[in-house]
Structures are given as C-alpha cells and as structure tokens.
Amino acid sequence: MTAIKSGNYSDFVANFKPTLKINSPGRINLIGEHVDYNNGFVLPTAIDKHIVFQFQKTEGEICNVYSATFDTMLTFNINEVSPSEKEWENYVLGVINQIQERGKVVGGFDCIIESYLPMGSGISSSAALECGLAYGLNELFDLGLEKLDIVKIGQKAEHTYVGTQCGIMDQYASVMSKDGHVIQLDCQSIEHQYIPADFGEYKVLLMNTNVSHNLADSAYNTRVAECGSVVKTIAADHNNVASLRDVSLELLNSYKEKLEAVAYQRASYVIEENIRVEKAVAALKANDLVTFGEMMYGSHDGLQNKYEVSCDELDFLVAFSKDYDSILGSRMMGGGFGGCTINLIHQDAIDEFVEAASKAYKEKFNIDLTSFFAKPSEGTAIVTI
C-alpha cells in the first residue's frame, strides 16, 4: 500500500467517469456529550452539510481515493490493506478492512472525495467519511449490508485503524437521521425514536472556535479508561453493572470513598448527563425550549468542570452567550478541546450576537470566530448523477 504524494491529478480527474454519488452528512449533538461510549442517551441529528463521494469500478485490484479538498491521493491494493502512518488514510483503510472482516468482497475502484464540512468544528467529519465510503462501496459492489452494519463498520474502523475508542453516536447520526428530526438514541439497546425538531423562531447556531484538536492524541481515550475503572470497581460487587448506564447516582455515591477522585467526577458527569438528556427530550416534546436550553447550559457546566474536556475558548463563548436573553442554551459540542459551541438563539438576534461575540473573541484570543447554521437533515444517501 502506497500513498501518492500531492501533485497534479488533473488526468485522473479528467478520466474519472463516476457511476455513483453519495452525500454523507456531518452531525450535531444537541445534548448528551461523551456518554455514547458509556451506553447513555444522546440527541444527535445529521445536518445539511456533507462530504460528497463519487465512485467508479475499475479492472484489477488497485484502488485510488483522491481527496479533492486536500489535493492528495491514496493508492492501495484491495488485497493488501494495512494501517497507514497518515491519519486520514486510516479512516479509508479501516473501513475497507472492516468490510473484508465481514467476508464481503470489494474489487478495484476509484473514488473522489470532496468535503463541505468545516474542519475541526466537532461535527464529525470522520464519521461522515467512514459512513459515506462504506455506504458507497455497499452500493457499488452490492454487498448486502444493512444501515446498522454500515454504522458499526464506521465505528469499528475508528477503533482499530484510527485508535479512537469512540461510541456509536456519530456514525449512527450520519447514517440513520431523518430530515427535520433529531434522534433520541439509546446507546445501550441501539434503539431510537425520531423527534420533530420544532424550534419555532429559534435557530441552531454553531460558533467555531477555530481551535484544532485531535481526539486520538487528546484525553478522549483517557476518559474512556477512567469511566471503565469506575464500572470495574462497582461491577466487582454488582454483576448487573456492565457500564455507567447501569449505575445510579445513589450507587455511585456509595462508592465515592473507594474511587479515585477524578474517576468519580467523570462518572458523576455521565450519570447526570443522561438525566439531562431525558429532561431535554421531554422538554422538546412539550415545546418547552426554556427548559431545553437550561439542560444545554447544565451539560456544558459538567463538561467544563467535571469531565474537563472543554477549553478556554469554548468556555468564553458559552459564558458570553449568557448575557443574551435571546439565547436559551449554549454548550460545547463534540469531543472537546476545541471545535464549536452549539447555541439555541432567536432568529432576530443572530446578527447582533455574532458580531458582538466575534469582536470579543478576537480581542480575547486573537483568533477569528466563524459561525454557521445547522439544519436537521437526512442521513447518508445516494444522489442522482
């Protein structure tokens, strides 16, 4: 397996004759952060921003995957797939590996990928990449994979080739979402229900800190281990405990003296966040957006102070939003250590808030703030060429 260096790929593009086109969306998560790998509740949805994939079959065993966004090419033999030293290549290769692990046969193919997702914004471009590729190959080679298979292939690829022990939420939202709805996903049973995303005069606004982060190299996997240590301690006495989903606050508190202080804080956040998600869902169904927003602020407080995956830039933006009655809720979103805040804001106040926040953020950090709207949208799908 070799990667061609960046260069002139005009001939490749000119001769490319796609027979299949796929849109694979990014996602937002309104509430329920860092609980999916603890079998908790989450409230994500795909959004109206995508990675676009175009495919064609080729003769032989050689595959070419060209990123038009970064003008770089990955070339490999379909029968000699192995991990790469380049992170982005492992998202591709990991998906191929997981498809082959399921006994499915993929032949030679060419693919052009073009991303319209803001990089490093916490809207899970990685899941969009994994799921879009798997979805396309499933169609191209008639592999017979179900949507849930594609979700699990994306998640497992990230575990095995990328090294991030992510939960299932990102891939699930990317594939399974429904236009105009959010997904209440139970990450323990992998069951879901669609809830109409009726925010009335309020919009979902994302404010991008433009602070880069890398989940594989950050404290993400450390948090997984910390939560696992709590489960292990409690499960030694309670054989019905398999994850933090099975632990109540009362049970956790009874073990407080036996746990490392930091691990206790992590677990208490997860359990409290699950409670917040359930309250937020009830509020959304009742069209009680004020309570919904309060749950968002509570989520950020826990992520900042108990789970410690926020950063100064995110905390500044959430604190800044509290001066505006037009904003019902704000929180960091995604893995943390950068990325976006997600804000529920009245449509009439958007321009004023964005202008004021951008000015204050620039003065504080000397970084340009960017923003964009997110509309709940359909999951990964075929596009007519």
Side-chain angles (χ1 to χ4, degrees), residues 290-301:
V290 172
T291 297
F292 191 94
E294 290 172 354
M295 294 302 104
M296 292 175 70
Y297 276 124
S299 174
H300 185 82
D301 182 69

Side-chain angles (χ1 to χ4, degrees), residues 85 98 128 140 154 158 170 193 212 239 255 257 293 354 374 376:
E85 294 180 356
Q98 285 302 308
L140 195 67
E158 201 148 335
D170 293 350
Q193 62 172 304
S212 62
N239 58 16
Y255 278 81
E257 301 304 319
V354 169

Side-chain angles (χ1 to χ4, degrees), residues 207-257:
M207 308 290 284
N208 193 349
T209 63
N210 290 306
V211 176
S212 62
H213 62 285
N214 186 310
L215 293 183
D217 296 332
S218 73
Y220 188 103
N221 289 343
T222 302
R223 297 300 183 276
V224 177
E226 288 166 342
C227 292
S229 72
V230 174
V231 172
K232 183 178 180 180
T233 297
I234 298 177
D237 301 322
H238 300 269
N239 58 16
N240 65 319
V241 172
S243 71
L244 286 177
R245 173 67 178 279
D246 304 316
V247 180
S248 66
L249 281 175
E250 181 181 12
L251 180 57
L252 176 68
N253 288 334
S254 72
Y255 278 81
K256 186 173 182 178
E257 301 304 319

Side-chain angles (χ1 to χ4, degrees), residues 128-140:
L129 176 57
E130 295 152 357
C131 294
L133 181 67
Y135 200 103
L137 294 177
N138 185 47
E139 293 293 329
L140 195 67

Side-chain angles (χ1 to χ4, degrees), residues 23-284:
N23 275 0
S24 190
R27 67 98 188 95
I28 57 172
N29 184 32
L30 288 157
I31 191 169
E33 214 67 75
H34 280 278
V35 299
D36 57 340
Y37 54 82
N38 288 296
N39 284 349
F41 297 108
V42 292
L43 197 66
T45 178
I47 61 173
D48 53 336
K49 292 172 177 58
H50 306 85
I51 298 177
V52 179
F53 298 77
Q54 298 182 79
F55 295 88
Q56 68 175 11
K57 286 184 179 180
T58 61
E59 298 294 330
E61 303 172 342
I62 301 302
C63 304
N64 298 292
V65 178
Y66 172 60
S67 169
T69 306
F70 297 104
D71 188 32
T72 188
M73 180 88 82
L74 166 63
T75 296
F76 60 96
N77 187 310
I78 195 65
N79 297 317
E80 299 176 6
V81 174
S82 62
S84 168
E85 294 180 356
K86 296 183 179 181
E87 184 181 47
W88 87 269
E89 295 178 356
N90 282 325
Y91 291 104
V92 174
L93 298 167
V95 166
I96 302 293
N97 170 260
Q98 285 302 308
I99 290 174
Q100 292 174 334
E101 285 288 315
R102 285 162 173 75
K104 305 296 183 179
V105 178
V106 177
F109 68 93
D110 289 339
C111 177
I112 292 180
I113 303 172
E114 191 160 8
S115 177
Y116 296 92
L117 301 179
M119 295 301 295
S121 57
I123 58 175
S124 200
S125 57
S126 57
L129 176 57
E130 295 152 357
C131 294
L133 181 67
Y135 200 103
L137 294 177
N138 185 47
E139 293 293 329
L140 195 67
F141 293 101
D142 194 23
L143 302 180
L145 297 169
E146 302 292 333
K147 283 189 174 182
L148 189 56
D149 295 324
I150 291 170
V151 169
K152 292 179 178 179
I153 283 170
Q155 181 194 25
K156 193 69 173 178
E158 201 148 335
H159 288 183
T160 56
Y161 269 54
V162 181
T164 301
Q165 300 304 307
C166 64
I168 204 168
M169 176 185 70
D170 293 350
Q171 293 82 5
Y172 201 96
S174 187
V175 173
M176 308 293 281
S177 287
K178 182 179 178 182
D179 188 32
H181 293 71
V182 294
I183 299 175
Q184 182 187 11
L185 173 62
D186 181 337
C187 295
Q188 184 175 62
S189 65
I190 317 299
E191 295 177 348
H192 73 271
Q193 62 172 304
Y194 293 110
I195 302 173
D198 183 9
F199 300 119
E201 296 181 336
Y202 287 84
K203 302 295 182 183
V204 177
L205 174 69
L206 276 72
M207 308 290 284
N208 193 349
T209 63
N210 290 306
V211 176
S212 62
H213 62 285
N214 186 310
L215 293 183
D217 296 332
S218 73
Y220 188 103
N221 289 343
T222 302
R223 297 300 183 276
V224 177
E226 288 166 342
C227 292
S229 72
V230 174
V231 172
K232 183 178 180 180
T233 297
I234 298 177
D237 301 322
H238 300 269
N239 58 16
N240 65 319
V241 172
S243 71
L244 286 177
R245 173 67 178 279
D246 304 316
V247 180
S248 66
L249 281 175
E250 181 181 12
L251 180 57
L252 176 68
N253 288 334
S254 72
Y255 278 81
K256 186 173 182 178
E257 301 304 319
K258 297 181 181 180
L259 298 170
E260 293 287 338
V262 169
Y264 169 80
Q265 288 285 83
R266 307 297 191 242
S268 65
Y269 160 76
V270 170
I271 297 168
E272 290 165 356
E273 183 77 343
N274 280 326
I275 295 170
R276 280 189 288 266
V277 173
E278 292 187 289
K279 289 182 177 179
V281 168
L284 186 58

